[in-house]
Each structure stands twice: as structure tokens, then as C-alpha cells.
Amino acid sequence: MKLLTMKFGGTSVGSPKAISQVADIVEDDLEAGNRVIVVVSAMSGVTDSLIDAARKAAAGNKWGYLSTSETLRERHADVLKQLVPEGDDHDRTLAQVNALVDDFVNLCNAINILGELTPRILDSIVAFGERLSSRVIAAVMRARGIQARQYDAGQFVITDDRYQAANLQWEETVSNVQSRLLPALEEGIVPVLTGFIGQTRDGVITTLGRGGSDYSGAIFAAASDSDELIIWTDVDGVMTTDPRIDKRARVLPYVSYHEVGELAFYGAKVLHPKTVQPILDKRIPLRVRNTFNPTFEGTLIGPDSAPSATVIKAVTAVRNVGLLTVSGRGMIGVPGIAGRAFLTTAKAGANILMISQASSEQSFCFVVMDDKSRAVKQALEQEFEQEIEQRNIDQIDLLDEVIIITVVGSGMRGTPGIAGKVFTVMGQNNINVIAIAQGASECSISFVVEEAHLERAVIALHELALQTVEMA
Ligand code: ASP
Ligand code: MG
């Protein structure tokens, strides 16, 4: 008997048909004698529509959020109508749906009156998506004879009050799961938990950041000491590259925690970047599988670095980034310039994706997302006003229309010549490399090229990934 934590994403619970597929999957595992913890996302599109409705409320558009509320009501009621026979459970769950949607409308009314949307209120708004989906999904499972029980995850997942991207309080969360969730499992209950949602110590709803249900799944898997975490999604697994860029992309049978971390950080949208964090120490295997192709094994993600022949495993590209360069002869040997630059960037609210410095120390550059790049440039110009005036720093440059390409593979560690190969391929394709960085873990190389080269660069490098995968 195994304990499995399964997380189902938005498309996996996006329609009555998909939800019934989810129930099949859970049923099969229970029949095989396993115990299951279920973590669910909101139905596909719901989180976006909730954010949109809240913004409309703040802008005084009452019609906007009322129409969202009707769609929410209908979509969830429709699942019950199609998959839960008439009776007490149907009516009780429908009443819960209606009560939650009423709460949503009330909260929007308040936002409308105040004309202001705070991050704290926005978290309460977006949480309705998972609170609704989990209730109807649990009812669907019960209609099949599964002893499913819905829980709002906030009663287990404790966070700080950094709304919209709350930080987990691990010890309290584990103790909640062990003292209150595990006993329910012992009784044969299948918990159906809201992904994405946490709660502060004071009981205020928080969320873990967009796409955070994967992370929730990992939190529950680790806190319950599950034997396996399965992320059920709408693709077959982790792929060698984006199939929209290169049709030859294929599913990787195995990747390591480190590799998938790099992939998630650098643009492969399969997993939330924090997903491996909770399961890393406990070495809990993670599988990415397709709800709509349930016989396919998917990708296994685990602690071991892959066999050495698979040198480059995958290629990703991050669009919509800007490259900032701080340069000047007066910087040579002056400590603290980089430190101040990164601090200023953090204060401007931007996350640094990649850093590179030439050893001449005459310049260093780093990459942030486009939506913050102008603000960062301005903040840097202010911070270094004096240095610029004294000509110790020439200027702060911002290069738009660039992308980060990342090649990932733990076999790169200690394999000489891989970087050489990668950049030779860029040269052969006439692609100019603007900046390069290699993580100290040596499991990825990232570099910046012009956006116009995206397809050519990815396809050419993917060629290398296909060759090495074949060798394995
Ligand atoms: N529903 C949330 C989102 O769309 C969380 C998730 O699905 O992972 O971001
Ligand atoms: Mg997701």
C-alpha cells in the first residue's frame, strides 16, 4: 500500500468530462490498494477571470463582476448536474457553491465601493476558484462511492502575510497535516484539498503565487510523507523543448530535481519553480502525467542525476526580458557597485533571472522581466547618479527584444566541451551571443541572444539534445 499525493491542474478539472476522468484515476488507485490525497486547481480560466472581475470591481464596473459570478455559478452547477445524481449531497454542494459565489459578489461590492483592490483582498478573491472546484470535485467522487472530503488548505498550510506570493511556514504546516489530515486518511477518507491557498497565523487567506497548486501538491506530499507525488496535467510530461517551436520535441522519461528546477525557472511551464523544494530532502519521487492520456507513464523526477550519456537534455527560451548593463572604467576594483545594483533592482520589485560579469570588471549585466526593466533602469540611474556624473560609470544600458536561452542537463557537470559545442552551434547559425552565465551547479548554461533568433537557436540546440538523448 502506497500513499500518493495527486495534484490535478486547471485543464484536468476544467469540464465535467475532465473531472470524471480525474475521478476514474483516483478510483483506480484506490482499487489498487493505495491511499490518495487529492489537491486541485481552480477550473481552467477561473483564476484569470477572478482577477479580471476584481479589477473591474475596483474600476466601478459592476456589470463586469456580476457577469463573472454568473459564469462561475453555472460552470460549477453544471458539473454537479452532470456528475452528481439528484439528492442530498447534490443539493448541499450546490448550496455551498451558491454561498461561495454570493460571498464573492459581496466582496466585489466592497471593492467597488472602496474603489481599491489591495493584495490581501485579491488573495481572498482568487481563492474562490479552488474553494469552488474542490467542493464539486469531492461531491463527484462521493457520487462514485469514494469517501471524499473537501478541505480548504488554509487550515493546514500556514504562511506569512506576503500576499500573492506567500512564504510557507513549514513546521506549523507539517504539524497540522500530521495531527489533522493523517488521522482522516487512516479512517479511509480521501481528502480533496484546495491547491494554491494558504492562511496566515491570524486566519487571513493567502496564495502561493500563480501556478502555485503544484507547490501545494509538493507541500502535502512532503508533510504527509507520501511515497509519491503525481502532478496530473494536460501534457505527457517534461519535454526536450517546446513542441510549438520544434515538432520533434519529445517527453523525457527521467529528469533530476535540479534539472527540473532549472527548466521551471527558465521557461518550461510544466511545473511551478518551487515544486521540488518541499520534496527534495525527503527524496520523494515526482511524476508528471497527462490526465487525458492516463496510461502513459509521463516523466519521473527524482534525486539522482541522470546517466552520463544524456548530456544536454532540454532547451528552453524565456521571452519578454530585458538586459541591463552597468559599465564604466571607474568601476574597476571598486567594491559594492554590483551589490548596490542588485539591491536597487530588488527594491524596484524585479527578480533577476541571470547575471554575468566580465573579468575585466568594466561592466556587468543582468536580466529582468520586461515589465520591470524600465523601472529598474531608472532606479539604477538614480542610485548611481554621482558615479555617472563623475564618469566612473558610463551609463546604464537597457537592451530590449532579447531572450534567454537555457540548455539543461546534469551530465554537463564535469563533461568538458559542452559549452564549446553549444556556442559553436550558435556560431554556425550566425547567432550572436550577447551574455553568458553558467550556474555553479553546472546543470545549465544560459545565454542571451536577440529575440529574432529564438526559433533558429532553439531548434539548432534541440538537435544536440536529441542526439544526446538517443545515446542514453
Ligand atoms: N489556480 C491558480 C492559478 O491559475 C493556481 C494553479 O492552478 O496552480 O494560478
Ligand atoms: Mg499549473
Side-chain angles (χ1 to χ4, degrees), residues 50 53-54 57-58 65 103-113 125:
L50 291 167
Y65 63 82
D103 286 350
F104 163 73
V105 172
N106 286 334
L107 198 50
C108 286
N109 282 333
I111 297 167
N112 183 22
I113 290 166
I125 288 277

Side-chain angles (χ1 to χ4, degrees), residues 52-64:
D52 183 53
R55 295 214 171 110
K56 283 178 175 153
N61 177 353
K62 194 161 180 168
W63 166 244

Side-chain angles (χ1 to χ4, degrees), residues 7 9 41 211 214 269-270:
K7 177 262 173 177
S41 284
D214 296 338
K269 293 244 160 55
V270 260

Side-chain angles (χ1 to χ4, degrees), residues 11-77:
T11 28
S12 300
V13 300
S15 67
K17 198 168 159 220
I19 290 176
S20 115
Q21 185 73 28
V22 166
D24 284 344
I25 289 169
V26 172
E27 209 165 29
D28 283 350
D29 269 296
L30 293 172
E31 273 164 18
N34 295 319
R35 287 180 302 166
V36 182
I37 297 173
V38 178
V39 178
V40 296
S41 284
M43 293 179 79
S44 50
V46 164
T47 309
D48 285 331
S49 75
L50 291 167
I51 294 171
D52 183 53
R55 295 214 171 110
K56 283 178 175 153
N61 177 353
K62 194 161 180 168
W63 166 244
Y65 63 82
L66 286 178
S67 106
T68 303
S69 76
E70 281 326 298
T71 314
L72 280 179
R73 229 186 270 279
E74 278 160 28
R75 266 184 92 181
H76 294 86

Side-chain angles (χ1 to χ4, degrees), residues 443-461:
C443 129
S444 71
I445 303 172
S446 295
F447 53 94
V448 175
V449 302
E450 271 176 41
E451 185 157 18
H453 299 319
L454 187 141
E455 289 209 358
R456 207 147 37 93
V458 170
I459 291 173
L461 290 167

Side-chain angles (χ1 to χ4, degrees), residues 43 69-80 89-105 128-129 131-137 139:
M43 293 179 79
S69 76
E70 281 326 298
T71 314
L72 280 179
R73 229 186 270 279
E74 278 160 28
R75 266 184 92 181
H76 294 86
D78 186 44
V79 175
L80 293 173
D89 202 14
H90 176 282
D91 295 350
R92 208 177 313 124
T93 313
L94 184 62
Q96 288 174 358
V97 166
N98 283 324
L100 281 172
V101 175
D102 290 346
D103 286 350
F104 163 73
V105 172
F128 281 110
R131 293 173 73 196
L132 285 162
S133 67
S134 56
R135 281 172 172 81
V136 300
I137 292 162

